[in-house]
Amino acid sequence: MSHGVEHLRLAQADSGEQPWRAWGPYLAERAWGTVREDYSEHGTAWDYLPHDHARSRAYRWNDDGMGGICDERQTFCFALALWNGVDPILKERMFGLGGDGGNHGEDAKEYWWYQDSTPTHSWMSWRYHYPQREFPYDELVRVNGQRSREESEYELVDTGVFDEDRYWAVTVDYAKATPRDMCIAVMIANRGPAAATLHVLPTLWFRNTWSWGLPNRPKPSLAGRPGRLEGTHRTLGRLLLEGQDAPPALVCDNETNAQRLWGQPGTTMYPKDGINDHLIADAPTVNPAGVGTKGSLHYVLTLGPGESHTIRLRLAQSEDGAGGLDLGVDWESVMRLRKAEADEFFAEIIPAAATPDEAAVARQGIAGLMWGKQFYHFDVKQWLTGDPGSAPPPPGRRYGRNNAWRHMNSFDVISMPDSWEYPWYAAWDLAFHCVSISRVDPGFAKQQLLLLLREWYMHPNGQIPAYEWAFGDVNPPVHAWAALRVFEIDGGRDFDFLGRVMHKLLLNFTWWVNRKDIGGNNVFEGGFLGLDNVGPFDRSAALPVAGVLEQSDGTGWMAMYALNLLDMAVCLALNDRTYVDMATKFFEHFAYIAEAAYQQGLWDEEDSFFYDQLRLPDGHKLPLKVRSIVGLLPLAATTRLTAATLSRLPELANRLRWLRYSQEYADVISARRLSAEGRQQRLLSMVGQDQLLRILARMLDPEEFLSPYGIRTLSRAHLEKPFTVSLGGSDFTVGYEPAESTSGLFGGNSNWRGPVWMPVNYLLIEALREYAAFFGDDLLAEYPTGSQKKIPLARIADDLSRRLISLFVPDEDGHRPIYGANEFLQKHPDWKDLIVFPEYFHGDNGAGLGAWHQTGWTALIVDLILTLPR
């Protein structure tokens, strides 16, 4: 198949011929309330730099803005600011509640959408709905603070601020003329019934790197005149923002307003919030000389009802010291051509057999992944010790959060889980992101997987960093799985990438074996493993009694990890025989782990399920009989070896033959049969055929795990029969909760006690396809359980994929399940086709929950759409 211009740009970027990824949407939607900006003694990030401080305080590590872009080092930033004439502050960044402000944890209280983006960001589109009435900041804080965990969140649409359609629909389109020349269209539409006025402020600034007393950080400069902002920077050279119609330029300094925040003298009369104060209060806080480090072009638009207007802008690095930027015919040509090239690119990616609604979901899902790439800067040692030009941090910080990760120094563009609620990478989230990213940009996906394994990320002991709130927490070991999937999607030819990943994962696998198998018995601990609230007590904290929590999911993850490394070693050994020993090592290690799950008591024969268990100091074992995703994850530990592979790797074949004759390992390595092509193959699986069918009987039961929209994370049987265990004089209970959790046990607004989560559904579907490839149509399972209908596993996987896809596409009544019972979002013609990608979904009705912009791993839906058999 021939490839279009966007594929050529990707090839040029990967080869270093043209830096097409140099500029992109790498500016976070939120930088306040993050660990990086927290210099408090006790780690109270949300309090140390709250939203109210964000407009006035220069950020230390990275900046934020609305629908913005920056270069890959975030030297400069460009974003949109708005003012409806009645708000108490400019709208420069998205508002939301901190972790202690929402009744279900942190939560953005605005509406914006990532509508489009090519992987090189040659074309992008962003949408925002801004109320014309005063934004109800105080009301949102007050009402959410009054609500309990048993009540729903109070959202912006609930305040009535959008009644009568009194809002502005704001769309920003970007099109690259060259890697560092961006044409920009800001389209403003008055959706209200009356004429209204909006201040539109395209804003350009330099990230503050000069205020911290570090060497070789000269201060750049920005000069403004009507219709133009011109920046000068020692590494960027000349940076020019040109705007049509010559609006006035307002310029201040991207420096902290110490007077407002702490009543102390500042370093400038025109601080970071100078443009805000000048417009809102007519304060003399913009520099009359038009120079500084932050500037806006000030447009004032009065539009009638239903009227719209487009502002043309262009941002570029320019060598010409006098010339301007074209906003006429060339601008129009670039905008039109890049949009057409984006359409061409996605027509090649999305199957023609996909429905228009599915295609729209796939394209917007990819857009969210692309917009989720953010510049991430965090030197942990510098953060712990403080900057030369700032007051030293409290002494306790040196022994607090992340103090064991002093080696870590991040200065990269990284795929984030969510642009607002999770503006920091998470290791296992990122692994899932890369699967869908590889469908459009395998080069970036591979770079991301390798990045977290580099020496300045991975701990010297072999641990992969989890996330900035606690790098030492333990995420599930899915890096090897993701690397294999990316390798396969990319054509299965980049053995250099696979080898680099494997060498580093050998260290990580050893860390797991040494640190998370306390008893040395091949069953694993691990902690909460990303599954917030899944157990009766916090699995990342100290146990309520003495003992060790042996985890079925931790053990299943490690069995899967061993098989992933086996598959990697086999791929590499077929070209380089030095990897044969690694293949036999991970084959045997898998067998040890899989056998131990049964011998050490994680498998409950009577219940046909895997459970966590407490191993007490006296040797007694207490099973925690919670039927949750914990007991389904061992299904994912499966792979196939063909006779052809074993014939080319006789050492592996000999070890397999030797272990097969050992009765204790027979169940996990004995299955052998002909494939549909008539080739001999062998199944390696943590569950045998009998256990598989028995577990599936629970997983595919509508009264337990099977919902209309995928697999729940907790059996619905626990609605009527919650699990309770008494330990240390206290009772600990798990009950089915299909939506936000009523427990703050771990993870704020995250809940794994009933909702549908995309990543584990994806793994289970993939596992079913692996079993189907082995058993073919010879193995049938009742689906749904109780229906008396038995069908092949491949058809079950297809139907589960369709259930997940149905979350996002309109049903026969035109409703998208993700929007739940909200009729405004379901029916309003200007809102209903704007698609979000929530963090997780209501276990019974599919409504989107948690972070609404978490395109991250929820964008696995893209992969399901692209690969669904039609």
Side-chain angles (χ1 to χ4, degrees):
M1 183 177 77
S2 63
H3 289 311
V5 180
E6 179 65 12
H7 281 103
L8 175 61
R9 281 191 284 264
L10 280 171
Q12 291 174 332
D14 287 341
S15 67
E17 181 182 348
Q18 290 284 343
W20 283 105
R21 297 191 188 94
W23 290 11
Y26 312 142
L27 182 66
E29 299 280 2
R30 177 175 68 83
W32 56 276
T34 63
V35 167
R36 282 154 286 161
E37 299 297 333
D38 177 20
Y39 283 78
S40 66
E41 184 167 10
H42 302 294
T44 52
W46 290 104
D47 292 332
Y48 185 79
L49 206 168
H51 177 268
D52 185 55
H53 283 205
R55 69 181 181 276
S56 304
R57 190 188 297 191
Y59 293 122
R60 170 62 178 87
W61 295 100
N62 71 287
D63 263 288
D64 61 15
M66 299 198 308
I69 64 170
C70 66
D71 61 295
E72 72 272 33
R73 301 173 68 86
Q74 203 170 90
T75 311
F76 80 86
C77 305
F78 170 85
L80 193 65
L82 303 166
W83 186 45
N84 57 15
V86 293
D87 279 357
I89 59 174
L90 289 185
K91 180 64 65 176
E92 295 181 86
R93 57 190 50 81
M94 298 302 177
F95 174 71
L97 303 180
D100 56 352
N103 57 323
H104 291 284
E106 70 271 31
D107 186 38
K109 298 299 182 186
E110 306 253 20
Y111 298 102
W112 73 99
W113 299 265
Y114 304 116
Q115 293 191 285
D116 214 357
S117 180
T118 57
T120 65
H121 312 300
S122 58
W123 170 260
M124 299 186 295
S125 186
W126 174 92
R127 176 79 168 266
Y128 173 59
H129 288 176
Y130 180 40
Q132 294 175 357
R133 298 179 174 92
E134 182 176 342
F135 196 92
Y137 292 104
D138 293 340
E139 180 182 347
L140 288 166
V141 172
R142 184 184 71 257
V143 176
N144 278 286
Q146 293 169 347
R147 291 193 174 188
S148 69
R149 287 187 176 273
E150 285 73 24
E151 296 174 279
S152 62
E153 294 171 343
Y154 186 62
E155 304 293 2
L156 181 59
V157 73
D158 299 326
T159 67
V161 75
F162 292 107
D163 289 356
E164 300 176 291
D165 287 344
R166 294 182 184 273
Y167 66 92
W168 299 97
V170 181
T171 303
V172 183
D173 290 344
Y174 293 92
K176 287 183 180 178
T178 69
R180 295 185 175 96
D181 181 355
M182 190 78 85
C183 298
I184 307 166
V186 180
M187 288 157 282
I188 309 295
N190 178 6
R191 297 293 197 243
T197 299
L198 179 68
H199 297 250
V200 183
L201 297 110
T203 303
L204 178 67
W205 71 99
F206 291 108
R207 181 168 62 89
N208 191 325
T209 60
W210 57 87
S211 294
W212 321 115
L214 302 175
N216 301 315
R217 301 291 196 278
K219 185 176 178 178
S221 66
L222 189 70
R225 60 185 176 86
R228 176 179 290 191
L229 293 169
E230 184 173 341
T232 305
H233 189 277
R234 65 168 183 147
T235 58
L236 286 181
R238 180 174 180 257
L239 188 67
L240 188 62
L241 175 67
E242 195 94 25
Q244 70 176 137
D245 300 330
L250 307 176
V251 182
C252 63
D253 293 307
N254 183 21
E255 299 186 33
T256 298
N257 186 344
Q259 184 65 45
R260 173 184 179 254
L261 295 174
W262 305 298
Q264 298 177 357
T267 57
T268 174
M269 296 172 58
Y270 316 110
K272 179 181 176 180
D273 53 10
I275 298 171
N276 176 92
D277 292 353
H278 176 72
L279 286 181
I280 303 296
D282 199 26
T285 49
V286 295
N287 192 336
V291 295
T293 49
K294 174 185 176 183
S296 300
L297 300 180
H298 183 204
Y299 291 88
V300 183
L301 304 178
T302 298
L303 302 179
E307 190 177 352
S308 63
H309 180 79
T310 296
I311 298 170
R312 295 186 181 191
L313 304 162
R314 193 158 186 168
L315 176 66
Q317 278 184 249
S318 175
E319 301 299 326
D320 185 350
L325 302 175
D326 184 279
L327 292 171
V329 174
D330 184 64
W331 184 95
E332 293 173 352
S333 175
V334 171
M335 297 296 291
R336 182 175 60 253
L337 188 59
R338 295 298 176 263
K339 175 63 165 64
E341 291 165 354
D343 292 341
E344 175 189 50
F345 175 77
F346 286 108
E348 294 177 358
I349 297 295
I350 300 171
T355 69
D357 285 318
E358 290 171 345
V361 171
R363 187 158 175 173
Q364 290 186 48
I366 292 167
L369 282 173
M370 297 300 101
W371 278 88
K373 298 192 294 189
Q374 293 176 18
F375 170 77
Y376 185 87
H377 185 199
F378 194 14
D379 181 335
V380 175
K381 182 179 179 181
Q382 186 76 57
W383 177 77
L384 287 168
T385 57
D387 294 313
S390 304
R397 278 170 49 85
R398 299 192 180 200
Y399 310 100
R401 177 175 286 139
N402 294 327
N403 70 85
W405 291 78
R406 288 174 162 265
H407 71 285
M408 178 173 261
N409 191 341
S410 305
F411 193 83
D412 299 282
V413 172
I414 306 179
S415 178
M416 304 295 175
D418 181 88
S419 61
W420 193 93
E421 291 193 14
Y422 304 109
W424 32 260
Y425 70 87
W428 80 305
D429 296 61
L430 183 142
F432 289 109
H433 303 179
C434 288
V435 172
S436 286
I437 289 174
S438 65
R439 295 289 178 183
V440 295
D441 191 354
F444 181 75
K446 288 184 282 188
Q447 182 268 340
Q448 291 287 285
L449 290 171
L450 287 167
L451 182 65
L452 294 198
L453 303 178
R454 298 308 302 267
E455 293 72 24
W456 48 93
Y457 282 84
M458 177 183 274
H459 197 281
N461 65 20
Q463 186 178 11
I464 296 174
Y467 42 78
E468 70 175 28
W469 289 91
F471 287 127
D473 267 359
V474 185
N475 275 184
V478 292
H479 228 73
W481 167 83
L484 276 170
R485 293 290 291 120
V486 170
F487 172 77
E488 293 162 0
I489 291 169
D490 189 39
R493 299 178 299 271
D494 193 346
F495 295 102
D496 177 69
F497 160 71
L498 205 62
R500 289 180 67 190
V501 169
M502 183 163 191
H503 280 290
K504 285 306 192 68
L505 290 181
L506 294 177
L507 301 175
N508 180 248
F509 187 89
T510 303
W511 176 87
W512 270 89
V513 171
N514 290 339
R515 297 294 185 96
K516 296 301 174 182
D517 178 13
I518 293 175
N521 58 2
N522 290 306
V523 295
F524 288 82
E525 300 82 46
F528 89 113
L529 289 177
L531 309 181
D532 307 5
N533 283 305
V534 76
F537 43 78
D538 185 348
R539 299 196 304 174
S540 69
L543 294 174
V545 294
V548 175
L549 180 64
E550 296 179 330
Q551 298 176 214
S552 284
D553 55 339
T555 304
W557 286 123
M558 283 301 288
M560 173 180 155
Y561 197 0
L563 288 180
N564 295 150
L565 291 174
L566 164 63
D567 286 339
M568 259 189 211
V570 166
C571 284
L572 294 165
L574 293 174
N575 294 279
D576 182 349
R577 297 197 62 79
T578 59
Y579 286 94
V580 171
D581 290 347
M582 288 292 99
T584 59
K585 180 265 187 299
F586 287 110
F587 160 67
E588 293 197 20
H589 212 130
F590 160 73
Y592 301 153
I593 295 169
E595 182 272 338
Y598 294 92
Q599 296 302 317
Q600 299 297 325
L602 298 183
W603 171 255
D604 188 297
E605 180 67 21
E606 181 179 355
D607 286 2
S608 300
F609 210 74
F610 289 97
Y611 295 122
D612 286 352
Q613 66 179 1
L614 272 174
R615 178 161 53 85
L616 303 174
D618 62 2
H620 180 69
K621 296 178 179 179
L622 176 64
L624 302 176
K625 294 192 174 186
V626 180
R627 289 207 291 278
S628 74
I629 200 72
V630 164
L632 298 181
L633 281 169
L635 292 172
T638 184
T639 194
R640 291 169 294 131
L641 292 174
T642 66
T645 295
L646 293 173
S647 68
R648 292 182 61 184
L649 303 176
E651 301 93 332
L652 178 59
N654 289 337
R655 294 307 296 169
L656 190 150
R657 193 176 301 113
W658 184 84
L659 273 183
R660 183 162 55 88
Y661 290 120
S662 176
Q663 186 60 40
E664 59 186 328
Y665 302 114
D667 287 342
V668 297
I669 62 174
S670 64
R672 181 170 57 184
R673 62 187 286 119
L674 293 177
S675 68
E677 296 79 23
R679 298 171 183 171
Q680 190 72 247
Q681 58 177 344
R682 185 177 291 278
L683 182 71
L684 304 181
S685 176
M686 195 167 166
V687 298
Q689 180 174 333
D690 177 60
Q691 289 97 340
L692 172 62
L693 290 174
R694 292 161 68 187
I695 295 172
L696 290 180
R698 291 202 183 279
M699 187 177 96
L700 305 177
D701 186 346
E703 297 303 316
E704 291 216 39
F705 290 98
L706 182 64
S707 88
Y709 304 103
I711 302 299
R712 304 176 177 108
T713 52
L714 189 77
S715 171
R716 201 173 188 279
H718 288 304
L719 177 64
E720 299 296 331
K721 296 180 180 178
F723 170 83
T724 299
V725 61
S726 297
L727 297 169
S730 298
D731 290 340
F732 300 88
T733 298
V734 175
Y736 175 74
E737 297 182 84
E740 294 96 343
S741 177
T742 58
S743 165
L745 197 63
F746 191 105
N749 61 351
S750 295
N751 177 30
W752 293 72
R753 293 187 172 187
V756 172
W757 287 79
M758 190 65 68
V760 288
N761 269 261
Y762 185 92
L763 286 176
L764 292 172
I765 289 170
E766 188 176 68
L768 284 174
R769 296 202 186 282
E770 191 73 12
Y771 291 117
F774 182 77
F775 291 110
D777 291 347
D778 294 337
L779 183 64
L780 306 178
E782 190 179 24
Y783 184 75
T785 300
S787 68
Q788 306 300 313
K789 293 179 174 180
K790 291 191 174 183
I791 62 174
L793 301 184
R795 286 178 54 195
I796 296 174
D798 292 346
D799 188 72
L800 290 175
S801 294
R802 292 189 182 95
R803 289 179 185 232
L804 292 165
I805 293 169
S806 74
L807 285 161
F808 299 90
V809 298
D811 60 19
E812 60 275 8
D813 296 321
H815 285 61
R816 299 180 194 269
I818 53 171
Y819 289 133
N822 191 315
E823 289 300 298
F824 182 80
L825 299 179
Q826 293 284 14
K827 293 184 177 180
H828 194 293
D830 198 34
W831 295 65
K832 65 185 182 66
D833 292 327
L834 298 171
I835 303 169
V836 296
F837 294 84
E839 186 178 3
Y840 56 101
F841 309 90
H842 193 289
D844 295 332
N845 62 36
L849 302 166
W852 262 33
H853 301 87
Q854 179 146 340
T855 305
W857 62 22
T858 299
L860 287 166
I861 200 67
V862 173
D863 197 74
L864 294 178
I865 291 171
L866 300 189
T867 59
L868 182 68
R870 304 288 174 173

